[in-house]
């Protein structure tokens, strides 16, 4: 049986429709398809040489570009949608036709899903709402906050809505055309670490030492850590970096390897600023660390600096610095992956700047103020360029949860038990949708024995 799908799309806004279709069917479902245009207000899917038809409504993109580019959705409610197995089910409808509460309509071998899956996919993946958002919506770091998003306002941020839509499409396609080879996803934990401060005492002044010791005793209540910090500070020999409390890299790799994970470490290669620690990626200590990471089979990425996103040559210059350090360490291959410092990602330009710098993937698109599915998915997908209205040669790996977001006092401010429960919920959502879970833990947040034990418990919970 041929697995070629024929997809007829409404006329107009073709580039946006093709982008969404490419991600849904090629990248996520692994299905071959051809596209044609027709004059109807539906996306119609058929299988060449076989009976059957699947219709999806056209809602978001059913307007001239000048209109839909400035259309900020009003209210989005959870609409009940019948489950395909005959049981009750509810699936939130981001864009839908009137009467969506009646659920899927079946007439023989013809099926109609009342949700605009193509438009919803474009809306979430292109970060449409961020593109049209006013500058006043941004926080003091120039980031689009979760609190401004549609999904947060509708209490849906912890639901991977697009992944649920993909699962629905997979089931319907398999029922209509059992011979179509639809790819299934799989759950895995993608552990990542941003290396903002690889050391805290090594080569540092006494003011910082005193501040950290006070934190060890008063906040972390760990006198052993304070003693280790003092020893590392006064050791000016070859063990100074090895003794530094922030040097948790080997320990984190041990934890990852114990659960069959490959970690990615994002290193900075920028000068010191008010927001950038400014360590030398070319130093002997960093060179040895880069070698240790690659020797053990883990990956190295770049962590572009705070201001890199607003400087045309910023990212490319930092990539060159990292590659110089890698070459000195006899490392010829690296992931060419990026994550912006402070998650300072801007919808209209950052993906394009990263792609122009020769990077292959980004993992910046997660919220600083809340965990959850900023793009409605945890699956990797091709980035969209609002300037050319086309696919960019760079993939986005959505960031779902970060340590600072979960326990930081300025953000969610959760204790360990609440962090664990939250991460277990996210893991269940990803497992349900056969999709990966990408999480970020900094090397300098697991310096105390208590933090290490909590991190090990967390990794056990999400990977078990």
């Amino acid at each position: 049986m041929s697995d070629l799908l024929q997809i007829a799309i409404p006329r107009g806004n073709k580039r946006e429709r093709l982008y969404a279709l490419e991600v849904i069917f090629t990248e996520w479902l692994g299905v071959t398809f051809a596209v044609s245009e027709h004059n109807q207000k539906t996306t119609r899917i058929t299988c060449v040489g076989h009976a059957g038809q699947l219709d999806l409504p056209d809602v978001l993109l059913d307007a001239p570009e000048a209109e839909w580019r400035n259309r900020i959705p009003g209210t989005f409610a959870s609409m009940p949608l019948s489950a395909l197995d005959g049981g009750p089910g509810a699936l939130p409808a981001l864009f839908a036709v009137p009467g969506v509460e009646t659920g899927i309509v079946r007439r023989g071998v013809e099926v109609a899903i009342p949700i605009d899956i193509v438009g919803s996919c474009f809306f979430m993946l292109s970060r449409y709402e961020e593109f049209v958002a006013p500058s006043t919506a941004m926080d003091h770091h120039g980031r689009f906050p979760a609190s401004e998003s549609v999904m947060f306002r509708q209490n849906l941020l912890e639901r991977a809505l697009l992944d649920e839509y993909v699962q629905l499409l997979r089931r319907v396609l398999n029922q209509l055309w059992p011979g179509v080879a639809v790819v299934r996803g799989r759950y895995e934990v993608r552990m990542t670490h941003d290396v903002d401060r690889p050391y805290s005492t090594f080569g540092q002044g006494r003011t910082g030492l005193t501040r950290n010791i006070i934190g060890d005793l008063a906040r972390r209540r760990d006198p052993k850590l304070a003693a280790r910090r003092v020893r590392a500070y006064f050791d000016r020999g070859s063990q100074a970096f090895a003794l530094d409390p922030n040097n948790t890299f080997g320990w984190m790799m041990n934890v990852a390897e114990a659960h069959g994970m490959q970690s990615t470490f994002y290193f900075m290669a920028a000068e010191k600023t008010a927001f950038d620690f400014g360590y030398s990626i070319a130093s002997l200590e960093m060179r040895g660390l880069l070698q240790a990471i690659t020797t053990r089979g883990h990956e190295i990425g770049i962590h572009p600096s705070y201001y890199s996103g607003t400087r045309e040559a910023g990212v490319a210059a930092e990539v060159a610095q990292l590659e110089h350090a890698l070459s000195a360490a006899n490392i010829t291959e690296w992931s060419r992956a990026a994550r912006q410092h402070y998650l300072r990602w801007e919808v209209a330009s950052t993906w394009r700047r990263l792609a122009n710098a020769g990077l292959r993937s980004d993992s910046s698109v997660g919220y600083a103020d809340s965990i959850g599915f900023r793009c409605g998915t945890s699956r990797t997908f091709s980035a969209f360029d609002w300037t050319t209205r086309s696919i960019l040669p760079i993939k986005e790996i959505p960031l779902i949860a970060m340590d600072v977001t979960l326990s930081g006092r300025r953000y969610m401010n959760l204790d360990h038990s609440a962090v664990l429960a939250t991460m277990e919920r996210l893991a269940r959502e990803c497992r349900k949708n056969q999709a990966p879970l990408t999480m970020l833990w900094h090397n300098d947040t697991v310096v105390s024995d208590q933090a290490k034990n909590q991190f090990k418990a967390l990794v056990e919970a999400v990977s078990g």
Side-chain angles (χ1 to χ4, degrees):
M1 174 179 177
S2 169
D3 62 356
L4 176 65
L5 297 183
Q6 180 68 46
I7 304 179
I9 59 174
R11 299 187 186 281
N13 303 311
K14 185 175 182 179
R15 292 184 180 184
E16 288 73 20
R17 300 179 197 279
L18 290 180
Y19 166 71
L21 292 173
E22 183 68 21
V23 173
I24 295 169
F25 289 94
T26 300
E27 297 182 12
W28 289 350
L29 293 176
V31 176
T32 304
F33 70 93
V35 172
S36 61
E37 293 181 287
H38 62 180
N39 294 320
Q40 300 183 45
K41 292 182 179 293
T42 60
T43 296
R44 177 156 294 168
I45 303 171
T46 56
C47 187
V48 175
H50 297 272
Q53 175 179 304
L54 171 61
D55 284 341
L56 305 172
D58 185 53
V59 181
L60 174 66
L61 298 173
D62 182 29
E65 180 186 347
E67 292 183 23
W68 68 257
R69 274 206 178 201
N70 294 292
R71 182 200 302 174
I72 300 177
T75 59
F76 295 80
S78 295
M79 306 283 190
L81 187 67
S82 349
L84 291 178
D85 60 6
L91 185 61
L94 192 56
F95 296 96
V97 294
V100 64
E101 65 277 358
T102 61
I104 296 174
V105 177
R106 307 181 70 94
R107 298 187 182 91
V109 292
E110 295 184 4
V111 177
I113 298 175
I115 297 177
D116 179 8
I117 294 179
V118 176
S120 299
C121 182
F122 176 77
F123 176 86
M124 294 298 297
L125 300 185
S126 71
R127 302 310 303 132
Y128 174 109
E129 62 182 334
E130 300 183 38
F131 184 75
V132 301
S135 58
T136 53
M138 306 305 168
D139 70 7
H140 63 290
H141 289 298
R143 304 172 300 197
F144 183 80
S147 56
E148 291 289 328
S149 70
V150 167
M151 303 304 280
F152 179 89
R153 291 173 177 173
Q154 296 299 318
N155 196 31
L156 292 172
L157 197 53
E158 288 190 25
R159 285 189 72 167
L161 199 56
L162 294 190
D163 290 342
E164 294 189 47
Y165 289 170
V166 168
Q167 293 290 74
L168 173 61
L169 272 177
R170 179 182 288 111
R171 291 195 297 271
V172 172
L173 290 174
N174 282 334
Q175 288 192 353
L176 283 172
W177 307 293
V180 173
V182 182
V183 172
R184 294 170 64 90
R186 72 184 181 92
Y187 174 76
E188 64 176 336
V189 178
R190 294 173 176 170
M191 185 62 68
T192 68
H193 310 284
D194 290 357
V195 187
D196 299 343
R197 294 173 176 266
Y199 43 78
S200 61
T201 58
F202 175 70
Q204 302 302 296
R206 294 199 177 192
T207 301
L209 173 67
T210 302
R211 182 172 60 250
N212 285 325
I213 289 174
I214 292 172
D216 294 337
L217 298 174
R219 187 171 69 254
R220 288 179 283 273
R221 299 180 181 179
D222 193 336
K224 288 198 301 182
L225 176 59
R228 181 184 173 191
R229 200 181 297 277
V230 171
R231 181 185 172 195
Y233 178 81
F234 286 104
D235 188 327
R236 300 300 182 184
S238 60
Q239 292 299 306
F241 179 58
L243 291 170
D244 193 283
N246 283 12
N247 187 355
T248 58
F249 304 101
W251 180 86
M252 288 192 297
M253 286 189 279
N254 290 340
V255 175
E257 290 163 8
H259 293 85
M261 297 179 191
Q262 181 189 53
S263 294
T264 301
F265 295 84
Y266 294 92
F267 285 89
M268 303 193 76
E271 296 180 355
K272 183 178 178 60
T273 72
F275 298 99
D276 304 306
F277 187 61
Y279 57 89
S280 173
I281 190 63
S283 69
L284 288 175
E285 293 75 22
M286 291 298 100
R287 192 182 307 172
L289 177 57
L290 296 173
Q291 290 172 332
I293 290 170
T294 54
T295 298
R296 293 179 64 166
H298 299 275
E299 293 192 333
I300 292 169
I302 190 163
H303 195 35
S305 63
Y306 186 88
Y307 295 105
S308 64
T310 58
R311 297 172 180 169
E312 192 59 42
V315 176
E318 292 173 25
V319 168
Q321 288 291 328
L322 176 59
E323 291 186 325
H324 176 75
L326 292 172
S327 177
N330 296 316
I331 299 170
T332 57
E333 295 291 332
W334 63 293
S335 68
R336 306 198 73 82
R339 177 179 289 127
Q340 292 292 125
H341 192 33
Y342 275 72
L343 302 184
R344 274 173 50 96
W345 178 88
E346 199 275 321
V347 62
S349 64
T350 305
W351 273 334
R352 188 171 64 253
R353 291 179 192 273
L354 296 175
N356 289 343
L359 297 168
R360 300 190 191 115
S361 69
D362 172 63
S363 190
S364 305
V365 190
Y367 290 118
D369 57 328
S370 180
I371 51 85
F373 301 90
R374 181 172 178 175
C375 298
T377 180
S378 62
R379 287 178 166 83
T380 299
F381 62 89
S382 290
F384 180 77
D385 186 2
W386 280 95
T387 299
T388 62
R389 297 169 59 194
S390 62
I391 289 179
L392 281 164
I394 188 169
K395 302 287 187 181
E396 179 60 32
I397 303 170
L399 175 61
I400 309 305
M402 176 171 66
D403 51 1
V404 178
T405 301
L406 288 157
S407 56
R409 295 179 181 179
R410 292 172 298 171
Y411 300 127
M412 298 178 73
N413 196 26
L414 304 178
D415 61 20
H416 172 63
S417 60
V419 168
L420 196 61
T422 300
M423 291 304 300
E424 287 176 332
R425 284 200 310 274
L426 293 175
R428 283 195 298 272
E429 180 70 7
C430 292
R431 281 196 187 94
K432 178 186 74 176
N433 294 308
Q434 301 172 328
L437 169 63
T438 300
M439 50 191 286
L440 158 60
W441 245 252
H442 294 78
N443 61 289
D444 56 344
T445 62
V446 289
V447 296
S448 69
D449 289 343
Q450 181 184 41
K452 284 182 167 69
N453 290 333
Q454 291 174 346
F455 178 74
K456 288 172 69 175
L458 175 64
V459 174
E460 179 70 31
V462 299
S463 64

